[in-house]
Amino acid sequence: MIESVLIMLALGALLGVGLGYASERFYVEPDPAFDDVMTMLPGLNCGACGYPGCAGLAEAFIDQDAESVSLCKPSNQETRVKIAEYLKEYFKEKGKATNIKP
């Protein structure tokens, strides 16, 4: 009985150390533009844009999968223009062309 408990403790410790190492080694730095766009979106997570909430739409903007900022139905025109200008500047700094319209 004691042997089983000791083996499980050792196995748990070994796997824990392995997971800790993997989380450090394979960490991917998130894109700061994602957080910026998320703060500009209304945050209602309604899905009216066709994406799974505001996070999905922000990711589509950063990946240039979304065609227009007007997909976000709850936002007003001022917010849409603000997001479009931000994305144009962001992609200009990265040296990429963008097709996102307000």
Side-chain angles (χ1 to χ4, degrees), residues 32-79:
F34 175 80
D35 291 330
D36 294 340
V37 172
M38 276 295 294
T39 58
M40 290 184 233
L41 289 171
L44 299 176
N45 293 321
C46 62
C49 57
Y51 290 94
C54 292
L57 183 59
E59 188 174 331
F61 287 150
I62 301 302
D63 294 341
Q64 294 189 359
D65 292 336
E67 299 164 1
S68 174
V69 180
S70 62
L71 289 173
C72 183
K73 308 293 187 234
S75 66
N76 57 22
Q77 186 62 26
E78 180 182 322
T79 303

Side-chain angles (χ1 to χ4, degrees), residues 2-44:
I2 297 292
E3 291 176 359
S4 299
V5 171
L6 292 177
I7 290 173
M8 293 304 287
L9 283 174
L11 185 60
L14 180 65
L15 291 175
V17 169
L19 285 174
Y21 172 75
S23 70
E24 293 286 326
R25 175 76 170 96
F26 299 113
Y27 179 75
V28 176
E29 188 70 35
D31 194 345
F34 175 80
D35 291 330
D36 294 340
V37 172
M38 276 295 294
T39 58
M40 290 184 233
L41 289 171
L44 299 176

